[in-house]
Amino acid sequence: MKTVKIVLTVGLSVLLMLCINISLVGCAGTKEKAARSRINGYFDIEVPKEAKMVYDYYQSWQESTGYTVFLFEQEPTDWLNESGFLKEKDEEFELKTKEAVDRYFEFSKQAEPEDTAFLGSGLTILPEEYLPDFEKEYWWKERKRDDAWDSVALIYVPEKLMLVFSIHIW
């Protein structure tokens, strides 16, 4: 009888751990689907399936703020061209996007566990390697909005095989 009780306890524990693991993986998949959907909604393009999301934060309350990073294993040149990304540098785009990115970076550095619980979107500190360097080569795409201060941008950084989606809407 004691052996049956131990086997049942261990079996239920393993089953519970399996269920928790499956639900956490499901949540991560849902978060990535939401990020891909946001990009599709703003730019009417699909991020290639082979791109791996490595960072994501998004919240929309009185203003929308978000930053998502995807990494590629090889340069998606055809996708960039087909999706209408521009290669020429644009000073106005750089200034507006850099301001939004820098503002988000500073905001993320203040992340604490209670912020994550309060904001409910998983705010974590943005690693510096996920910041675009506008001094180097980049491809870009911008969604123009009525408010000149709004920033909705996609930036592809060839040196890092990195796609950044940055959004700041007042």
Side-chain angles (χ1 to χ4, degrees):
M1 187 66 161
K2 193 173 185 178
T3 307
V4 172
K5 202 174 192 179
I6 292 172
V7 170
L8 282 174
T9 303
V10 170
L12 286 173
S13 297
V14 169
L15 184 61
L16 179 62
M17 288 172 43
L18 182 62
C19 289
I20 290 171
N21 193 18
I22 289 171
S23 70
L24 290 176
V25 169
C27 290
T30 301
K31 191 170 185 173
E32 184 166 338
K33 283 181 187 176
R36 289 173 180 271
S37 179
R38 273 192 301 279
I39 292 169
N40 185 284
Y42 281 105
F43 293 100
D44 196 29
I45 60 173
E46 298 281 337
V47 174
K49 288 180 176 44
E50 52 275 4
K52 179 183 175 196
M53 188 175 80
V54 293
Y55 184 89
D56 180 61
Y57 172 77
Y58 180 76
Q59 70 89 22
S60 182
W61 187 43
Q62 293 176 334
E63 60 187 61
S64 293
T65 301
Y67 200 89
T68 304
V69 179
F70 288 91
L71 295 179
F72 291 83
E73 289 187 16
Q74 57 188 12
E75 185 162 308
T77 309
D78 291 340
W79 175 75
L80 292 165
N81 284 319
E82 291 165 8
S83 300
F85 278 76
L86 302 172
K87 250 185 139 170
E88 334 44 70
K89 290 184 172 264
D90 183 284
E91 197 173 308
E92 182 182 331
F93 170 79
E94 286 180 20
L95 288 172
K96 187 163 74 168
T97 304
K98 185 170 179 9
E99 183 180 330
V101 167
D102 289 347
R103 186 181 309 124
Y104 177 75
F105 180 57
E106 291 304 315
F107 170 68
S108 81
K109 288 197 293 190
Q110 300 169 20
E112 296 190 15
E114 57 271 12
D115 294 334
T116 300
F118 173 70
L119 297 172
S121 297
L123 176 64
T124 56
I125 296 172
L126 175 65
E128 285 190 52
E129 66 261 23
Y130 295 156
L131 295 172
D133 180 353
F134 291 108
E135 298 300 316
K136 298 186 177 177
E137 180 186 2
Y138 65 90
W139 295 55
W140 63 280
K141 190 170 179 73
E142 180 180 32
R143 171 75 186 267
K144 298 280 186 184
R145 299 193 37 99
D146 292 337
D147 187 333
W149 294 105
D150 286 351
S151 174
V152 182
L154 281 172
I155 306 127
Y156 176 75
V157 182
E159 180 181 19
K160 299 178 182 181
L161 299 175
M162 176 179 77
L163 178 69
V164 171
F165 172 59
S166 170
I167 181 170
H168 189 88
I169 298 175
W170 298 98

